Amino acid sequence: MAENIIELKNIVKRFGKVLANNNINIAVRKGEVHAIVGENGAGKSTLMKILYGLYHPDEGQIIINGETIIKNSPKNAVKHGIGMVHQHFMLIPPLTVAENVILGMETSKGPFVDINTANQRIKKLSDDFNLHIDPSKKIEDLSVGENQRVEIIKVLYRGANILILDEPTAVLTPKEVEDFFKVIKSLIAQGKTVIIITHKLDEIMEISDRITIIKHGETVDTINTKDTSPKEIARMMVGRDVLLQAEKKVAQTGKVILDVKNLSVTKSKDVLALDNLNFEIKAGEVLGFAGVEGNGQTELIEALMGLNTEKIKSGKILLEGNDLSNSLTKERLEQGFSHIPEDRHKRGLVLEYQNSDNLILGQQHNFTRTGLLDRIGIDEHSERLIKEFDVRPPHKEVLSGGLSGGNQQKIIIAREFFRKFKFLIAAQPTRGVDIGAIEFIHKQIIKARDEGKAILLVSAELNEIISLSDRIAVLYKGKIVKIVDADKTNKNELGMYMTGASNG
Amino acid sequence: MDKLNKKILIEFIIPIFAVLLALIFSDILILIYKESPLKIYKLLLEGTIFNSYGIGQVIFKTTPLIFSGLAVAFAFRTGLFNIGGEGQLYMGTFVTAVIGAYLPDSIPRFLAVILCLLGGFLAGGLIGFIPGFLKAKTGSHEVINTIMLNFIVLAFINYLLVTYFRVPETLHTKEIISNAHLARLSEFIPALDSTYASLAFVIAILTAIVVYVILWKTKFGYELRAVGHNPEAAATAGINVKKCIMMSMAISGGLAGLIGLNYVLGDKYYFEEGFSSGLGFMGIAVALLGRNHPLGVVIAAFLFGVLSEGGLVINAVVPKELVDILQAIVIICVVASTTEVRKILARGK
């Protein structure tokens, strides 16, 4: 039996009345890839922040390399060889790789920063771990995958032996995920230990040695990856059997609902964000848009919704033959658009509003009598939706900003499905949502499709795109590279189109 | 529901904390002046809220501050910072005075007052609308534009006043007709005799209630506040953000246009150059201390009213600038303590 490099014993952490971690026990062995899984709000992030010294546990022990840590802090954690790679990169784009890596611990030669020594050290790290990073390149010229490897170099540069990776594959393409797994393998080969937090079950199965499942702030179990299955992990996470793949009948398509013709949108003066898009969506059909983020998805959604219209260069948007190209957002919503925004904090919710106010956002005119808000009607409406969509905590007065991401998403889903819509834009509908809720949201989307709505799905999750869509359009640099039938394609083929190849 | 109570509590704790902090600072200042803080405060309170004349004068001083605070708070709720109150109030007050002066003598009293009010509101609103329009159409920042407009409007009004409207040998307009006068409160409450407090105060309180209803009870207010918190989410929900910005700035300017009501319809009965001495800017302090809520604005306006009148009372013992300093410290403390108090409360959980 390998020795335990980290032991967390009976960790308890409370925030006010909320018990974030309740008696958590984890033992991470030296040289393994240890996955930590759990639904949103299960307490994974809190636990990792405790390990990294950002929070102090109310009870329990942290033992690193056999040494009990009394007063933990990020500085102390780094000293004990723990490095954390956050989900959101913390890099400064105009600076070079080396400048970013040494930030906060610059070695100097007289009054000058000694960048040459840093370059050499980074080059060596890059070679040792197959990271393929040129230290003199600027961050802004690197891809997302390379950015992530820079973050890894950052922690290795600080002498980390134990790397905590928080949702590392969320922003990567399938090819980048493959490369990333190679990096993890070479880290392990060189004697490092990796803790990976994720909710992507197939990835856990592929890369991890052991898995610890956390539910409601408590450890459910730690199991060997080779002895388990995604289905079993999902059951342990949620507490019941979960459909991992959306089930749907063959599409019964009707007439064309949405027709987009020659849509072009500018990004900056000479650069097009969308270049002459043509597609249609029929009643009862889900058209998925696959693509690496930043290839025009956001601009497409905005153009369809009538937002930032000054950027639209040309094109027509027709709903059941009616030209809505020049209509206001409000008119489009009234005509039968519905919209689950890709960024719920930015576009989906007013975080300072209570749930009941967010549940009528965009429909407030339906809850108004002679200019005054119909409070009683709004309250009844909210209570009904909160119950139906199982929003937790189930209070209409709670500010939406205080909800977990999954519950915020439920508020938006509840609101947008309540509209009488013909056409739905579902952008990243399950981003950051736990698997129990994902199943629910997928069922809602399929139900709407079976009722004859036209649905445009944008998602960074290829599994989601493939399982929900009837047809899939791949966006690359603002162009539709290819539209394929969902049942005649696979991740690898889509991954190729996503990097611009025009035939698989 | 205890969550709601807690929220309200926080809203009150911050300003109270700020005022207490300001008192500590002013204690030090008074001590440096070799006077007893207790004596000064006693004098200040006796001269203001503990005698009927004092109360009347405090009400008189509170009235314009309520309008001024409401103007800033209203824009702030839509995410806009209107610091053009000074220009808006000049335009509003000037128009009020001119309408009042040129109405036919026979016009019924109620109608005369309504017309003066409406004129002031619309004139102030027009000046508020301009930076709102510029913000909506070109994205230029309202802070810059409202400040710049202050200079333009003040100069323009002076030009109009000196060239066309002044009574010769003076710097004021001709007197408004007697039917446009707002009754003094002493007509109803004899104890307020010889104070300048007028029905303008009642109008100010009613306006605060109207502002509350608009912001929190109407669809329009719901949309304005949504724009204030998150304009992108509001736009996504189909709310016309540009329209909201223009409307909010216009209404804010209109409220500022009523700041001079007290002065023109209730006290001097004419518009005079330089009468405001920064009332428009004081609204920022009132709104900040009042946490941008109409009730808070009324309370904060009253506090500043007390301080302003109190300054005159204590002037015999210490310089009245002490009160100006006290006001400034209150403002700084509000701004500084907003996040601090939250942190302290969060830690106490």
Side-chain angles (χ1 to χ4, degrees):
Chain A
M1 188 135 183
E3 58 176 311
N4 289 334
I5 192 162
I6 292 178
E7 281 182 72
L8 295 168
K9 285 190 175 168
N10 308 320
I11 297 287
V12 176
K13 177 71 187 171
R14 291 181 201 90
F15 293 102
K17 286 180 204 153
V18 181
L19 204 53
N21 282 173
N22 185 15
N23 217 8
I24 287 205
N25 288 286
I26 293 180
V28 179
R29 291 178 193 156
K30 193 166 190 307
E32 72 170 344
V33 179
H34 195 115
I36 295 178
V37 300
E39 293 197 284
N40 278 311
K44 296 172 301 208
S45 304
T46 307
L47 186 67
M48 288 306 112
K49 282 179 180 158
I50 287 173
L51 182 55
Y52 196 59
L54 290 165
Y55 291 156
H56 295 284
D58 295 325
E59 290 168 36
Q61 273 184 310
I62 303 168
I63 302 166
I64 302 173
N65 281 323
E67 187 188 335
T68 306
I69 309 294
I70 306 296
K71 192 144 177 56
N72 204 6
S73 67
K75 212 173 164 182
N76 206 357
V78 170
K79 209 178 81 195
H80 282 88
I82 296 178
M84 189 149 175
V85 176
H86 295 273
Q87 190 177 353
H88 302 285
F89 304 143
M90 298 175 181
L91 299 169
I92 305 166
L95 299 187
T96 65
V97 170
E99 285 166 336
N100 268 283
V101 168
I102 62 171
L103 200 65
M105 50 178 301
E106 303 87 351
T107 44
S108 51
K109 225 182 217 170
F112 302 107
V113 173
D114 182 7
I115 204 78
N116 287 333
T117 315
N119 277 338
Q120 281 161 20
R121 273 191 66 191
I122 293 165
K123 187 84 190 49
K124 184 164 186 315
L125 283 173
S126 171
D127 291 345
D128 288 352
F129 294 97
N130 296 315
L131 294 167
H132 307 290
I133 293 291
D134 178 353
S136 59
K137 270 200 174 167
K138 285 186 177 172
I139 294 293
E140 59 198 4
D141 298 329
L142 300 183
S143 72
V144 177
E146 288 172 314
N147 268 296
Q148 185 168 48
R149 299 208 288 276
V150 174
E151 286 282 5
I152 291 172
I153 288 182
K154 239 164 96 179
V155 299
L156 292 173
Y157 191 85
R158 284 158 176 74
N161 283 315
I162 307 158
L163 285 87
I164 305 172
L165 308 172
D166 186 6
E167 298 280 358
T169 60
V171 287
L172 302 183
T173 62
K175 175 76 173 63
E176 285 176 320
V177 171
E178 247 172 66
D179 294 343
F180 174 70
F181 284 172
K182 282 186 198 145
V183 169
I184 292 189
K185 280 176 187 142
S186 72
L187 286 169
I188 296 298
Q190 308 258 350
K192 307 283 182 191
T193 305
V194 173
I195 300 175
I196 181 167
I197 303 169
T198 179
H199 63 271
K200 296 187 181 175
L201 300 182
D202 47 345
E203 290 178 1
I204 302 171
M205 294 306 293
E206 190 179 335
I207 195 69
S208 71
D209 297 308
R210 293 195 306 153
I211 304 165
T212 295
I213 296 120
I214 296 177
K215 192 179 131 199
H216 299 322
E218 293 179 47
T219 330
V220 178
D221 203 354
T222 298
I223 47 181
N224 289 322
T225 308
K226 61 179 191 312
D227 303 333
T228 189
S229 67
K231 218 175 155 72
E232 189 187 14
I233 303 169
R235 187 167 54 234
M236 291 168 92
M237 277 165 71
V238 185
R240 61 177 167 85
D241 279 316
V242 180
L243 275 178
L244 293 176
Q245 195 80 5
E247 284 179 353
K248 61 179 200 282
K249 295 176 286 190
V250 179
Q252 300 291 323
T253 54
K255 59 180 177 174
V256 173
I257 299 284
L258 184 85
D259 194 357
V260 173
K261 286 180 179 160
N262 307 323
L263 181 64
S264 290
V265 176
T266 54
K267 190 179 257 167
S268 57
K269 213 172 152 206
D270 303 315
V271 185
L272 286 179
L274 289 178
D275 189 355
N276 200 25
L277 251 54
N278 285 285
F279 63 90
E280 53 181 45
I281 309 178
K282 295 196 178 82
E285 182 186 43
V286 178
L287 176 64
F289 271 90
V292 180
E293 267 179 68
N295 276 282
Q297 293 94 326
T298 305
E299 289 82 359
L300 172 62
I301 297 163
E302 288 181 352
L304 290 174
M305 287 312 301
L307 299 161
N308 289 333
T309 44
E310 66 278 1
K311 286 189 187 162
I312 295 176
K313 199 178 147 204
S314 65
K316 277 201 173 353
I317 294 160
L318 307 166
L319 184 76
E320 291 185 317
N322 293 327
D323 190 349
L324 296 181
S325 315
N326 297 314
S327 304
L328 297 173
T329 305
K330 190 180 166 202
E331 291 160 349
R332 295 180 198 212
L333 290 167
E334 282 164 1
Q335 294 288 320
F337 277 48
S338 188
H339 174 204
I340 300 166
E342 59 179 340
D343 184 335
R344 57 178 162 264
H345 287 178
K346 192 173 158 204
R347 287 210 177 270
L349 295 167
V350 177
L351 295 176
E352 297 84 352
Y353 270 5
Q354 56 185 27
N355 288 338
S356 59
D357 284 347
N358 269 311
L359 282 165
I360 62 162
L361 188 65
Q363 298 162 40
Q364 64 273 18
H365 37 273
N366 295 333
F367 295 91
T368 307
R369 259 186 274 172
T370 58
L372 291 177
L373 291 174
D374 172 18
R375 266 289 145 209
I376 297 167
I378 293 169
D379 285 352
E380 282 172 8
H381 175 71
S382 316
E383 274 164 18
R384 206 177 320 123
L385 289 185
I386 285 170
K387 202 167 162 221
E388 191 182 328
F389 286 79
D390 191 28
V391 177
R392 286 181 215 181
H395 303 309
K396 58 182 187 299
E397 304 91 359
V398 171
L399 297 188
S400 300
L403 299 182
S404 70
N407 282 298
Q408 289 176 342
Q409 192 70 2
K410 283 186 198 165
I411 296 269
I412 296 172
I413 303 264
R415 178 181 79 208
E416 296 305 319
F417 276 94
F418 182 77
R419 279 180 196 287
K420 305 238 174 317
F421 64 91
K422 295 170 188 154
F423 166 57
L424 169 72
I425 298 172
Q428 316 290 1
T430 60
R431 173 177 282 174
V433 172
D434 49 53
I435 51 177
I438 289 175
E439 182 191 20
F440 176 79
I441 292 168
H442 283 177
K443 276 184 180 163
Q444 295 289 327
I445 292 174
I446 297 293
K447 195 174 132 222
R449 159 202 186 250
D450 291 343
E451 285 167 2
K453 323 275 196 206
I455 294 166
L456 187 151
L457 172 72
V458 176
S459 175
E461 305 272 343
L462 276 184
N463 284 337
E464 181 168 77
I465 293 264
I466 292 173
S467 75
L468 286 181
S469 307
D470 298 303
R471 289 185 300 140
I472 299 170
V474 184
L475 266 183
Y476 177 71
K477 293 194 171 166
K479 285 186 185 161
I480 293 181
V481 181
K482 193 102 179 170
I483 298 184
V484 292
D485 287 336
D487 53 5
K488 292 189 193 107
T489 187
N490 57 46
K491 272 173 114 171
N492 286 338
E493 192 192 9
L494 291 176
M496 296 241 271
Y497 293 137
M498 280 162 72
T499 50
S502 54
N503 44 35
Chain B
M1 275 283 89
D2 60 342
K3 204 157 204 162
L4 191 69
N5 284 333
K6 199 165 154 199
K7 222 178 99 192
I8 294 170
L9 190 71
I10 291 176
E11 294 296 323
F12 274 100
I13 285 178
I14 292 166
I16 291 170
F17 179 79
V19 170
L20 288 178
L21 207 60
L23 283 177
I24 294 172
F25 279 114
S26 57
D27 283 353
I28 297 168
L29 283 176
I30 295 170
L31 287 172
I32 291 173
Y33 213 78
K34 295 198 173 59
E35 281 289 345
S36 147
L38 273 180
K39 183 184 146 202
I40 300 290
Y41 295 145
K42 190 161 164 269
L43 197 64
L44 192 149
L45 291 179
E46 278 173 355
T48 54
I49 55 176
F50 286 119
N51 81 63
S52 55
Y53 175 79
I55 289 177
Q57 286 304 90
V58 167
I59 287 174
F60 175 71
K61 299 227 154 114
T62 300
T63 307
L65 293 174
I66 293 177
F67 286 117
S68 182
L70 288 175
V72 175
F74 195 91
F76 205 86
R77 286 285 170 184
T78 319
L80 299 163
F81 200 9
N82 176 14
I83 45 181
E86 203 66 11
Q88 293 146 14
L89 93 89
Y90 261 88
M91 182 58 97
T93 311
F94 180 73
V95 170
T96 302
V98 170
I99 291 177
Y102 292 93
L103 282 173
D105 285 326
S106 56
I107 192 166
R109 192 170 184 141
F110 181 72
L111 192 61
V113 171
I114 291 287
L115 285 174
C116 289
L117 269 176
L118 205 62
F121 185 84
L122 292 177
L126 177 71
I127 303 305
F129 175 78
I130 295 169
F133 177 82
L134 291 174
K135 168 123 185 170
K137 295 298 173 192
T138 70
S140 62
H141 206 289
E142 76 278 6
V143 166
I144 310 288
N145 289 336
T146 48
I147 297 178
M148 293 304 137
L149 262 181
N150 283 343
F151 296 110
I152 298 171
V153 174
L154 259 63
F156 177 61
I157 298 286
N158 280 345
Y159 163 76
L160 288 182
L161 180 68
V162 172
T163 320
Y164 302 106
F165 289 98
R166 71 168 165 181
V167 175
E169 308 300 315
T170 72
L171 276 175
H172 61 74
T173 57
K174 83 178 199 191
E175 266 200 30
I176 60 172
I177 59 167
S178 62
N179 270 356
H181 289 194
L182 280 173
R184 294 268 163 90
L185 287 182
S186 53
E187 288 181 28
F188 315 99
I189 309 165
L192 297 178
D193 191 27
S194 81
T195 70
Y196 300 127
S198 70
L199 282 180
F201 178 69
V202 179
I203 297 173
I205 298 292
L206 290 176
T207 307
I209 295 169
V210 170
V211 165
Y212 172 77
V213 171
I214 290 177
L215 281 175
W216 276 277
K217 301 291 171 193
T218 69
K219 182 185 87 142
F220 177 54
Y222 171 92
E223 293 182 350
L224 288 183
R225 285 183 297 119
V227 170
H229 287 305
N230 187 347
E232 291 196 87
T236 307
I239 294 170
N240 191 334
V241 174
K242 292 180 174 177
K243 195 174 132 199
C244 284
I245 288 173
M246 290 189 280
M247 290 293 285
S248 178
M249 279 305 287
I251 292 173
S252 172
L255 291 166
L258 299 179
I259 294 172
L261 213 59
N262 205 29
Y263 184 87
V264 173
L265 301 190
D267 175 20
K268 297 281 198 225
Y269 306 125
Y270 54 69
F271 172 92
E272 185 169 27
E273 202 229 320
F275 82 96
S276 154
S277 62
L279 280 171
F281 293 113
M282 277 303 286
I284 301 168
V286 172
L288 271 177
L289 187 63
R291 313 282 299 146
N292 296 305
H293 189 285
L295 177 63
V297 163
V298 170
I299 296 171
F302 186 76
L303 178 81
F304 281 114
V306 169
L307 289 178
S308 165
E309 179 63 18
L312 302 176
V313 177
I314 61 169
N315 201 11
V317 189
V318 290
K320 78 170 177 31
E321 280 76 11
L322 184 80
V323 170
D324 295 339
I325 294 173
L326 184 61
Q327 289 186 359
I329 294 172
V330 169
I331 296 164
I332 293 170
C333 290
V334 172
V335 178
S337 61
T338 309
T339 45
E340 276 321 301
V341 174
R342 292 239 157 104
K343 263 188 214 157
I344 291 163
L345 286 174
R347 223 175 292 149
K349 271 195 273 189

